[in-house]
Structure formats: C-alpha cells, structure tokens
Amino acid sequence: MTGVSSSARPATGRLGRVGWVGIVAAALLLASCGGTPSAPPAGRGAPDATVSGDGPEPAGSAAAGGGDGARAGQQDLRPGERFDRLAMPAAYTPSAPYGTGTDDYRCFLLDPRLDRDAFLTGTDVLPGSPDQVHHVILFRVPPGSVAAAEARDAGEDGPGWTCFGGSGLDDGASLDDAPWIGAWAPGSGESVMADDVGIPLQEGSRVVMQVHYNLLAGTRPDVSAVRLRLAPSEAGLARLQTVLLPAPVELPCRPGHGSSPLCDRDKAVRDVTRRFGQAGRLADYLHLLCGSAAPGPRQSCDRELSRPATIRAVAGHMHLLGRRITIEVDPGTPRARTVLDIPVWNFDDQGATTIDPVRLRAGDTVRVTCEHDQGLRDLLPAFEGQPERWVVWGEGTTDEMCLGLLMVTRP
C-alpha cells in the first residue's frame, strides 16, 4: 500500500472528486511557457494597455502604492494584450479552520468581468503578506460553475471559504486538463506564456484564488491580488493545458527516532485527515492511482497517455524535505528522454522550465520520481518543535508532496 514501482499499472486520467482536487492544490508552480517571447503572432490586434480591476491593493506587496501601472521586472504588454488586476474583496485574517494545525487554505472568488471570450497569457500574483503566504493557486471557474462558487462564498462568514484540496468546486476537471491557470510560490515572479499559446477563458468565467497561509509565520490580516494578462479570443492561440503527474510520499521515521506516536503510518494519516478533512485521504488515493512499492525516500509513478500531446514546459513540486525530482518519457525504452531533472531541490526557487517541444503519442509513458530526506528535519527551522513522523502526502508546510506537471498543447 505504499509507494509506486515502475511496473505499476498505468494510471488513469481521472480520480474521484476528493482525489484530483487535492492533487490540483499541490500544483504551486508557474504556468509559464516561455520567457521573453519573440514577435507575437498575427491576429493579436493593436496594442492595448488597458488595466482594470477593483478591490484593495495588497499591503506590503510589490504593487502596494504603485497604482495599476507596470512594476519593476514586469514584461511589457504585447499587441492586443491588457492587464486586469483582481484583489481579494476584503482583508482576511488566517486561522486553523479545524482548530488545530498550522495551515489555512482559503479560496476567494474574483470576477474579471469578461464580456467576451479571451485567452489568459500570463499571471502576476501579488501576495499581500509574503512571509505568511506559502503559495497561491488560480483556478478557472467556467460559467456553469459560477452559481456553485457564489453559494460556497456565501456559505461561510468573512471573505472566501475553506478549501483544503482544490477549490472545492466540482467542475468535471481531470488530471489531463487541470483547472488551474497560474500560481505563485517562493521565488516566483510574473509568468508570461509563449506568444503562440494561451489558456481559454469563456465569457462570464470567474477566477478562484486559493491562498495557503503558513500560520507558523503569523496570523496578520492579508489582502493578496493578481494581475491577469489577457488577449482577445481572435488571437488564434494554441490552447494550453496542464497535465498533473502525482506520486505518493511514504517516508518512514528514521531509525532511532521512532518514539513519536506519529511514526505509525495509520496514525500519521489520521493526523493529516484531522487537519485537512477529506483532502487528507490523498495519501491512500494515490496508491489506487499508481500502485504499490516499499516505503522509502524514493517514490515514483507512471502515467500512460491516452491522447497525443506536445510538451511546452515542465515543472515539479515538493515541500521542505525534497531532495530531487525528475520527469521521464518512455523510461527503459529506446525513446527514453528526461524532460525535467532538478538534482538539488530548492523550495524557495520554484517555477516552470520551458523546453524544446517534445511530442508524445497516445500510449507513451511519463514517469515522475521524487526523493525526500527526513534528515532535513534537523536542519530547517520550520521543523523545530515538530515531532518525528511518518511523512505522507499532505497539504501542510511540513507535510510532503511529489508532483510533476506538464504544460501541453494537443492537436
């Protein structure tokens, strides 16, 4: 029931609602498919530097006091693009939703006021309190899900709603087409996609901004925001999609450190579920997706692709105990290729890596492999005072994840 072997059966592209939404919540990385682009394609139209958006500017952010103009390091708008700044409707003071734990995931519903279809071509997340904000993920909300999102928002006191896992909205998304459209994590800046791709947003769509607060850093009021870079639907861009490649984490306590009750796996999983509700069940769901292997510092998972795709960018995500992450295509065959290899993981430097297009066929296998190290508990301040535990997939800052991401276009 622990880990994944390379011979595990191919994973399907869809989990139950509890399953995939938790995996989506792990996807912290930037949906960046190009740095400085070449000349934009025909059809972008005339330059348009329109900036819109209501709501308070995030205190302490790079944009605070700067109005809606460009900020340092921001790439110029390309022909046809415009900015739309969206901010949380009011300040939010984070707290542990279940009365325990050191993490708060809160979702805020934002309205870009789209009166026509558009392409999202970049995101610039502005965390209001960067020391408290562990990460931010942006989810698209199609028009058919807006009423459900508004009901969730109205169902809890204060701005937004608790959303361990994903946004908490059942919009039929899958691992092969995740609903996230951008993110911020430590070390991230503005994410601008290559000039021939974009994420389609339908007229009337909304955006959910999920903010993960690390309560170990404090509980001060926060107002975070995001600048969306939008292009008209007539731009003729290729549709960019995100494929998620999760793998289990099964990291037992070190020899000689087994006195903590949480060194028992079942108790560790119950603790994760107590802190995060149903999202804590991902520790077991991932073994249904990937298969089983012995617990240890190295875990992997194979996915067999059901459709052709072209990889445009790759990314990986782990937490503080991560050492190395790789993504391979068709491992062990003459067509084997490594499309991502981060030999020294740095949680404070996350982002997607643009690669030369890699074309995948239906039936190709993609493998993500992660290596974690319990010994880092002795070196990192975040673990001071934290008991030794069997580490499984969890939403918290001091839990762990193993996630590969492919940003792809499809025929």
Side-chain angles (χ1 to χ4, degrees), residues 1-2 250-254 257-272 275 283-284 295 374 387-392:
M1 63 179 296
T2 53
E250 295 290 345
L251 198 58
C253 290
R254 295 168 287 174
H257 294 75
S259 60
S260 167
L262 294 178
C263 287
D264 178 88
R265 184 189 185 276
D266 290 341
K267 292 179 180 178
V269 172
R270 284 199 295 271
D271 175 69
V272 171
R275 287 184 284 128
D284 291 328
Q374 286 272 39
E388 186 93 0
R389 64 181 298 131
W390 185 304
V391 179
V392 296

Side-chain angles (χ1 to χ4, degrees), residues 310-312 355-359:
T310 298
I311 304 175
R312 302 296 302 270
I355 63 174
D356 292 335
V358 174
R359 291 173 174 79

Side-chain angles (χ1 to χ4, degrees), residues 20 24 27 139-140 173-181 241-244:
W20 81 260
V24 169
F139 298 88
R140 66 175 185 263
S174 73
L175 296 180
D176 288 332
D177 185 12
W180 69 287
I181 59 175
Q241 296 176 299
T242 300
V243 176
L244 302 180

Side-chain angles (χ1 to χ4, degrees), residues 75-398:
Q75 183 174 306
D76 291 340
L77 287 165
R78 298 171 292 193
E81 290 181 335
R82 63 182 177 88
F83 284 132
D84 188 356
R85 184 183 66 82
L86 308 176
M88 289 163 44
Y92 173 72
T93 301
S95 62
Y98 299 131
T100 185
T102 59
D103 300 274
D104 183 8
Y105 280 64
R106 193 77 175 180
C107 281
F108 304 93
L109 187 61
L110 311 178
D111 186 1
R113 300 170 301 282
L114 293 176
D115 59 4
R116 64 189 66 185
D117 295 348
F119 280 106
L120 178 75
T121 55
T123 59
D124 191 8
V125 174
L126 310 172
S129 301
D131 55 338
Q132 293 182 140
V133 177
H134 178 280
H135 77 265
V136 174
I137 300 176
L138 306 173
F139 298 88
R140 66 175 185 263
V141 182
S145 298
V146 168
E150 292 175 337
R152 288 297 303 268
D153 196 14
E156 294 189 23
D157 293 337
W161 64 92
T162 297
C163 55
F164 290 122
S167 65
L169 304 176
D170 188 4
D171 57 7
S174 73
L175 296 180
D176 288 332
D177 185 12
W180 69 287
I181 59 175
W184 175 90
S188 300
E190 183 186 19
S191 170
V192 181
M193 300 172 193
D195 56 4
D196 62 337
V197 299
I199 299 174
L201 296 176
Q202 294 176 270
E203 174 186 348
S205 294
R206 300 284 203 279
V207 172
V208 165
M209 181 169 66
Q210 182 197 58
V211 184
H212 173 189
Y213 295 100
N214 175 11
L215 305 183
L216 294 173
T219 56
R220 298 180 302 281
D222 172 66
V223 180
S224 292
V226 61
R227 291 178 192 264
L228 304 182
R229 184 182 288 255
L230 300 171
S233 60
E234 298 81 13
L237 306 180
R239 177 183 177 182
L240 190 69
Q241 296 176 299
T242 300
V243 176
L244 302 180
L245 306 170
V249 177
E250 295 290 345
L251 198 58
C253 290
R254 295 168 287 174
H257 294 75
S259 60
S260 167
L262 294 178
C263 287
D264 178 88
R265 184 189 185 276
D266 290 341
K267 292 179 180 178
V269 172
R270 284 199 295 271
D271 175 69
V272 171
T273 304
R274 177 178 56 86
R275 287 184 284 128
F276 304 115
Q278 292 300 309
R281 297 173 60 192
L282 260 296
D284 291 328
Y285 267 100
L286 288 173
H287 295 297
L288 299 177
L289 179 74
C290 297
S292 298
R298 188 174 187 270
Q299 304 289 333
S300 63
C301 185
D302 288 358
R303 286 280 305 283
E304 183 178 299
L305 300 184
S306 60
R307 301 168 55 191
T310 298
I311 304 175
R312 302 296 302 270
V314 293
H317 176 65
M318 300 183 290
H319 286 184
L320 299 175
L321 299 180
R323 281 292 194 184
R324 181 174 188 170
I325 185 169
T326 61
I327 301 176
E328 304 167 88
V329 175
D330 289 331
T333 75
R335 299 184 70 247
R337 289 154 288 173
T338 298
V339 295
L340 177 70
D341 186 0
I342 303 177
V344 180
W345 174 253
N346 180 359
F347 180 80
D348 293 317
D349 184 14
Q350 301 188 49
T353 301
T354 304
I355 63 174
D356 292 335
V358 174
R359 291 173 174 79
L360 305 179
R361 307 169 302 186
D364 281 352
T365 295
V366 183
R367 176 181 298 167
V368 59
T369 301
C370 294
E371 296 179 15
H372 296 88
D373 183 0
Q374 286 272 39
L376 294 174
R377 306 180 77 90
D378 299 333
L379 304 176
L380 301 175
F383 292 98
E384 185 175 352
Q386 300 290 317
E388 186 93 0
R389 64 181 298 131
W390 185 304
V391 179
V392 296
W393 182 291
E395 306 291 319
T397 306
T398 55

